[in-house]
Amino acid sequence: MKRIVCILFVSLLVSIVAFAGNYKSFKVSVYTRAYEVEKMKDLHWLDSTWNIISSQVKVDKIYLETHRDLLIVPGETLEQAKKFFLDKGIEVGGGITYTINEANSFETFCYSNPEHRKIVQEIAEHTAKYFDDFILDDFFFTSCKSDIEIKAKGTKSWTQYRLELMTEAGQNLVIKPAKKVNPKVKVIIKYPNWYEHFQGLGFDLKNGPQLFDGVWTGTETRDPSSAQHLQNYLGYNIVRYFENLRPGHNFGGWVDSGGSGMGMDRYAEQLWLTFFAKAPEMALFAYNQLIGVALRPEQHRTPWQGQGTSFDYDEMMKPVNLNGQTVTPTTIARVAGYTFESIDKFIHQLGKPIGIKTYKPFHTLGDDFLQNYLGMIGLPMDEYSEFPTDQQVVLLTEQAKGDPDIINKIKGQLTKGNDIVITSGLLNAIPEKIADIAELRAGKYALVNDFGFAGKTDKDILIRQVLYQTNDSWETISAGRPLTGGVSGYPIVLRAPYSKGNLYVITIPEDFGDLYEYPTGVLNAFRQILSKDLDVRIDAPAKVGLFVYDNGMFIVESFLDEPITIRVNTTEDITRITDVLTGVTIDKLPETNEEVSIFGRRFRPDNKNNVFRITLMPHSYKVVKIVR
């Protein structure tokens, strides 16, 4: 018994020591480009710029980059900068960006070029001399199509060639040489935010997380309408996906100042979404942005401020004392500091994130980034690269076509009495395989705006028709233009019984953004079908997210510009919920005569019958504890 107590005490002590920094359960670090590290040879510049950052945000660690764009920082400068930060009690790590010219479309090295390979190895060896851990920033991939690479590729596809090339380069040019110089060094790869397309440039999510000592996660989503079109929810979803690739080896998230032009709420949101996913550390990119992105109320204070929002610009702008001096906030560093101080009140209380399990085989394309759009309509995503076998319902998007054994896996789920939900994109990709379960196929395109009892929309939405054999499958929600009083309609939710389970098809608009135009009744149908493994789901319009944890906590967040009151449906054993930040207890609403299920007799209703009402301010969240 004494041994057990001793082990528990040591485990608790290790846990406390692991987060014996500035925050209860996470660390904050700053990544510094080689350009700024090189300037640190000037101690006056270093001291004055660090004072700008450290007076506005509490920092636990700094990463000093040794190379970017063929600029290699001399060892004397690295040693001087290391000593400066260590003397201040700041942990120090290294970093490498393998670019030749970032300004030239992120020009990368050509990893079949002997001269380039020599440089890559020398940079890794140089870095390992000075640091016991270093991060490879975004660009350890290759977009090179030089004559050398074209010849080396031969008849392979670019994807196959680059995957093999970069896996070999990681082992033989970076990891092995670095560990030969410094056996203690940990080599960590930072994967960027465009994960769906990694394989085409040589990022190998199958082997990379096992090969490197750990991964970092690009959680920057910036302006969702910009070139990458990354939805806000990606900042949460990508952390969970990478964590599931190799549990315990996703070391942190990574956010830059991009998107701050939309208002500092957008920047703060990227930070807290990363920590909602339980990332253990946040890297702020980068040193130059923390000293150079000045606060401008006319641009950064959004119209919805002053309503009690989760990010309060006016409160953030108040003078602050972090290191013995009182300063007035001047740069984006204070936005980060204020956000971390706010979320540090509750992040440590959250359990392990859980959600609707969805399957993405390695190196597959299809329905690109769709899970992030689904997260924006209140479906908590939990993405895996192994087929889940422990769930009542599994979501399959077009990505699942990459698994040659997918139909047998679907059948295995259905014959156990569980459900499979597929997208219209997957149906369109493999209709012949799906036909072994139900003879469905994708038809022509249609414009719809009327969803019958599920609601209407002011916008015409382009969908792919789902065709089926009458009485073999059943439409549970239909749409037309119009549907009510019209002459034609098409399935939005289709159910096909098989063995002891059900195969559902949900129709995804051709423009994924039109998911946000679907009426609440349609979104609720998606949520009800997909939430069988969860104790909670929401009843709300699009752009309200739900984050669920295994210890009876959940978060609801509004991405809308106006206040919204939503309903939360829970299982029958949950009679009260508590707002963690205010301590206010919310009782369930009185029972009404409303139908529990909008599907009637055709659908197996779940047991989420208790209803609670929650009001959310614009771009704000509430942290909730379930009371049983």
Side-chain angles (χ1 to χ4, degrees):
M1 183 65 179
K2 289 182 179 179
R3 175 178 171 80
I4 294 174
V5 172
C6 182
I7 291 173
L8 290 174
F9 175 76
V10 171
S11 298
L12 178 61
L13 184 62
V14 169
S15 176
I16 292 172
V17 171
F19 289 101
N22 293 304
Y23 307 94
K24 293 185 181 71
S25 62
F26 58 82
K27 292 167 63 175
V28 170
S29 56
V30 173
Y31 190 88
T32 313
R33 303 181 309 164
Y35 298 120
E36 286 68 51
V37 177
E38 196 273 337
K39 292 179 182 179
M40 290 178 180
K41 63 188 177 186
D42 180 347
L43 280 175
H44 174 72
W45 182 89
L46 173 54
D47 185 66
S48 61
T49 54
W50 179 245
N51 186 57
I52 293 172
I53 296 173
S54 61
S55 65
Q56 299 183 88
V57 58
K58 293 177 286 187
V59 177
D60 300 295
K61 187 170 184 175
I62 190 160
Y63 293 91
L64 304 175
E65 192 175 78
T66 62
H67 170 272
R68 180 180 293 248
D69 295 353
L70 300 183
L71 168 63
I72 299 177
V73 181
E76 314 86 75
T77 302
L78 294 174
E79 290 284 24
Q80 177 168 285
K82 275 181 62 179
K83 183 178 187 305
F84 175 87
F85 290 108
L86 289 172
D87 287 348
K88 294 183 178 297
I90 307 295
E91 297 177 55
V92 183
I96 299 173
T97 294
Y98 278 117
T99 49
I100 291 177
N101 184 354
E102 193 174 356
N104 182 28
S105 300
F106 305 117
E107 183 182 354
T108 67
F109 285 86
C110 300
Y111 288 86
S112 286
N113 183 324
E115 294 180 7
H116 287 196
R117 290 174 65 88
K118 182 174 182 292
I119 296 171
V120 168
Q121 179 171 332
E122 289 173 349
I123 293 168
E125 293 168 339
H126 174 66
T127 306
K129 290 178 185 177
Y130 301 99
F131 303 102
D132 287 338
D133 66 290
F134 63 84
I135 297 173
L136 306 183
D137 188 13
D138 279 10
F139 304 101
F140 192 62
F141 63 84
T142 183
S143 57
C144 180
K145 289 186 177 178
S146 68
D147 291 341
I148 291 175
E149 300 291 348
I150 292 171
K151 181 178 180 181
K153 180 183 87 71
T155 60
K156 298 176 182 176
S157 69
W158 281 109
T159 291
Q160 181 187 1
Y161 168 67
R162 287 170 169 172
L163 283 171
E164 294 172 359
L165 176 65
M166 295 309 298
T167 297
E168 180 276 329
Q171 289 176 305
N172 297 325
L173 302 184
V174 180
I175 297 173
K176 288 180 180 179
K179 290 183 182 290
K180 185 175 182 180
V181 170
N182 179 1
K184 297 185 299 181
V185 73
K186 291 185 177 180
V187 183
I188 303 159
I189 186 167
K190 185 251 177 169
Y191 288 123
N193 48 20
W194 42 277
Y195 63 93
E196 294 280 25
H197 305 145
F198 277 179
Q199 59 276 1
L201 283 298
F203 275 136
D204 185 351
L205 288 184
K206 182 177 183 180
N207 297 302
Q210 317 303 322
L211 180 66
F212 289 91
D213 294 300
V215 306
W216 274 70
T217 306
T219 54
E220 59 273 72
T221 49
R222 309 185 184 101
D223 180 349
S225 67
S226 62
Q228 291 179 304
H229 310 294
L230 302 176
Q231 304 305 293
N232 310 38
Y233 188 83
L234 179 141
Y236 170 90
N237 182 51
I238 192 173
V239 176
R240 299 311 312 159
Y241 176 43
F242 289 174
E243 171 66 14
N244 292 334
L245 294 174
R246 188 185 179 192
H249 289 79
N250 187 355
F251 294 158
W254 184 292
V255 169
D256 59 33
S257 64
S260 58
M262 301 175 67
M264 282 302 170
D265 308 59
R266 179 81 272 271
Y267 178 65
E269 181 185 70
Q270 293 174 76
L271 301 176
W272 72 52
L273 283 172
T274 302
F275 282 125
F276 285 2
K278 298 305 295 284
E281 187 173 337
M282 168 62 73
L284 298 173
F285 186 94
Y287 196 97
N288 63 309
Q289 295 180 0
L290 295 175
I291 63 176
V293 179
L295 298 172
R296 297 187 298 275
E298 69 279 4
Q299 179 181 3
H300 295 145
R301 189 183 188 278
T302 52
W304 49 82
Q305 286 294 313
Q307 300 183 55
T309 51
S310 295
F311 174 76
D312 187 327
Y313 188 92
D314 300 327
E315 187 70 21
M316 180 272 299
M317 286 296 294
K318 291 180 178 179
V320 61
N321 188 323
L322 291 186
N323 59 357
Q325 60 176 320
T326 300
V327 300
T328 298
T330 57
T331 74
I332 200 170
R334 184 58 202 144
V335 179
Y338 173 82
T339 303
F340 297 142
E341 292 155 22
S342 299
I343 66 174
D344 194 39
K345 299 172 184 176
F346 65 86
I347 292 294
H348 62 287
Q349 299 181 49
L350 302 175
K352 177 184 176 182
I354 57 176
I356 299 160
K357 290 192 176 181
T358 176
Y359 174 47
K360 173 181 166 55
F362 290 111
H363 312 325
T364 58
L365 290 169
D367 282 342
D368 294 0
F369 301 105
L370 176 59
Q371 282 87 350
N372 302 299
Y373 290 87
L374 298 178
M376 293 290 289
I377 63 170
L379 295 169
M381 293 287 100
D382 199 10
E383 200 161 346
Y384 286 80
S385 283
E386 292 185 2
F387 188 91
T389 58
D390 59 347
Q391 300 292 290
Q392 295 181 66
V393 60
V394 173
L395 170 66
L396 301 178
T397 68
E398 187 186 345
Q399 298 159 338
K401 70 185 180 186
D403 183 344
D405 194 40
I406 189 61
I407 290 302
N408 287 330
K409 291 175 180 176
I410 292 175
K411 288 180 179 179
Q413 172 81 351
L414 297 175
T415 55
K416 287 192 297 185
N418 297 323
D419 294 339
I420 289 284
V421 178
I422 69 171
T423 64
S424 48
L426 179 59
L427 173 62
N428 184 51
I430 54 170
E432 298 85 1
K433 293 183 178 181
I434 297 295
D436 200 33
I437 294 170
E439 292 180 334
L440 312 174
R441 62 195 190 282
K444 299 178 181 179
Y445 296 98
L447 287 171
V448 299
N449 57 24
D450 181 355
F451 300 81
F453 59 83
K456 296 182 179 180
T457 178
D458 294 332
K459 179 180 179 180
D460 288 343
I461 297 174
L462 183 66
I463 64 168
R464 193 73 176 262
Q465 298 176 26
V466 175
L467 307 177
Y468 62 97
Q469 306 284 11
T470 301
N471 287 329
D472 183 64
S473 302
W474 301 88
E475 295 182 44
T476 55
I477 288 188
S478 307
R481 184 175 173 261
L483 179 68
T484 307
V487 295
S488 59
Y490 315 100
I492 300 298
V493 177
L494 185 79
R495 181 177 68 92
Y498 183 90
S499 184
K500 295 180 284 295
N502 286 292
L503 174 74
Y504 289 95
V505 182
I506 56 173
T507 299
I508 304 297
E510 290 301 296
D511 177 353
F512 295 166
D514 281 341
L515 280 166
Y516 308 154
E517 304 295 331
Y518 271 178
T520 300
V522 174
L523 303 182
N524 283 342
F526 288 3
R527 294 162 183 155
Q528 185 168 344
I529 292 168
L530 284 159
S531 299
K532 292 186 175 69
D533 294 285
L534 304 175
D535 289 339
V536 59
R537 69 169 188 267
I538 62 172
D539 177 347
K543 295 190 178 180
V544 178
L546 172 66
F547 308 87
V548 185
Y549 302 86
D550 68 354
N551 65 339
M553 296 187 71
F554 66 91
I555 297 173
V556 284
E557 177 179 358
S558 173
F559 301 98
L560 298 166
D561 295 347
E562 303 293 337
I564 182 89
T565 296
I566 69 168
R567 305 203 322 172
V568 175
N569 292 55
T570 71
T571 50
E572 294 175 333
D573 59 324
I574 299 170
T575 57
R576 289 183 300 160
I577 58 177
T578 299
D579 184 324
V580 171
L581 298 181
T582 65
V584 173
T585 296
I586 304 169
D587 291 317
K588 70 173 184 175
L589 296 177
E591 294 183 8
T592 69
N593 293 324
E594 296 179 35
E595 289 187 9
V596 173
S597 169
I598 62 173
F599 298 115
R601 292 177 298 175
R602 293 183 181 176
F603 182 74
R604 297 183 305 181
D606 60 19
N607 63 342
K608 296 178 182 62
N609 294 337
N610 287 348
V611 180
F612 302 83
R613 186 176 288 119
I614 294 178
T615 297
L616 297 167
M617 291 299 105
H619 299 275
S620 296
Y621 58 80
K622 286 199 174 179
V623 185
V624 181
K625 176 76 174 179
I626 288 172
V627 181
R628 282 187 164 90

